[in-house]
Amino acid sequence: MTSIDWSGVRDRVAELADRPEGSVFGANSHHFLLEPPLSPDELTELEEQVGVQLPEEYRSFLLEVSSGGAGPAYGLFPLRRVDGRWRWEGDGADLTDPATLGEPFPYTEFFNPAEGLPDPPDEDDYASTEEFNAAEDAYWETHDKVAYDPRHTVGTIYLSHLGCAYRHLLVVSGPERGAMWADDTADDGGLKPLTDARGDRVGFARWYLDWLDKAHDQSHQPHTTPIGG
């Protein structure tokens, strides 16, 4: 297993804090601030609570760099102990279910939970607004039960919010363990692995360090459009 060299990452992020925040997408949320890393005892306690050892790239980041803060998009969801229990915090972090992290993530390729669902009702097919509203409510109730069934994302940790309910997650159990995936189900875009130009899976370290490189380049270019996650 290749170890990740995280040396200098905190210094690079601190340098970004001295640059204009508006040049990097999401920086106005995390302000390029990193929380302290976890101690070995804290990481052990976390992994005992969730019942799974975290993928090496992410766990080494937690130990050597930070427990959350500055990162892709609106930042890396921080880990915090609340009433003696560890949990991830942020917009959508509650989608992570610590009780199911040991269950294998069920997908290895793109999957859209909403595929195959019928189209939403057409108002022209109904005799009254009341009938249409009732049919529409019933449709979206069924749609959401299927599209947002938490069984689709067992064995994953949600790590970042990209806006408009798009999020990135890390697979911690199953064949895709260690890979970063995108959750675009908010727009019926499904779940898909993050890949590079060659089609190879992107892990946590690549995901984070690529963001850091892009943020550094973007922050040193005047009058540019903020980058995405």
Side-chain angles (χ1 to χ4, degrees):
M1 180 181 297
T2 303
S3 61
I4 303 299
D5 181 7
W6 295 110
S7 61
V9 169
R10 288 190 69 94
D11 290 340
R12 293 181 65 192
V13 173
E15 178 191 344
L16 288 170
D18 294 329
R19 309 295 299 179
E21 286 185 351
S23 63
V24 177
F25 174 75
N28 290 330
S29 176
H30 56 70
H31 307 293
F32 293 114
L33 299 177
L34 286 171
E35 300 206 0
L38 298 184
S39 70
D41 287 345
E42 287 174 328
L43 180 60
T44 296
E45 181 182 56
L46 163 67
E47 291 181 330
E48 287 177 348
Q49 287 184 6
V50 300
V52 65
Q53 183 174 5
L54 301 177
E56 184 58 33
E57 292 182 357
Y58 181 48
R59 75 191 309 271
S60 66
F61 180 90
L62 293 173
L63 288 171
E64 299 176 36
V65 182
S66 173
S67 59
Y74 290 106
L76 183 63
F77 292 157
L79 265 164
R80 299 206 174 101
R81 187 198 282 115
V82 179
D83 296 330
R85 304 294 299 181
W86 288 95
R87 71 185 188 194
W88 288 263
E89 295 189 342
D91 186 352
D94 58 341
L95 294 170
T96 296
D97 182 0
T100 64
L101 291 186
E103 298 181 27
F105 178 60
Y107 308 112
T108 57
E109 300 294 341
F110 168 79
F111 175 75
N112 186 357
E115 186 175 351
L117 286 172
D119 293 332
D122 187 332
E123 189 169 8
D124 292 339
D125 294 333
Y126 293 86
S128 69
T129 299
E130 291 76 13
E131 289 179 357
F132 168 72
N133 288 341
E136 188 176 45
D137 289 345
Y139 169 82
W140 286 111
E141 181 178 357
T142 298
H143 171 280
D144 291 352
K145 284 182 179 179
V146 172
Y148 304 127
D149 188 329
R151 289 176 295 182
H152 295 310
T153 53
V154 297
T156 70
I157 298 170
Y158 280 81
L159 289 183
S160 184
H161 179 220
L162 287 70
C164 300
Y166 296 114
R167 298 180 176 90
H168 284 171
L169 50 84
L170 171 66
V171 180
V172 300
S173 296
E176 287 290 299
R177 173 180 164 81
M180 295 294 302
W181 278 57
D183 181 349
D184 296 342
T185 53
D187 193 32
D188 283 349
L191 299 160
K192 58 186 177 184
L194 300 185
T195 58
D196 61 18
R198 298 184 303 177
D200 294 333
R201 295 292 196 265
V202 171
F204 176 84
R206 176 82 175 274
W207 175 75
Y208 192 90
L209 294 174
D210 279 358
W211 165 79
L212 187 55
D213 289 341
K214 292 176 184 177
H216 180 273
D217 292 345
Q218 189 76 18
S219 68
H220 286 75
Q221 296 176 8
H223 310 298
T224 55
T225 301
I227 65 170

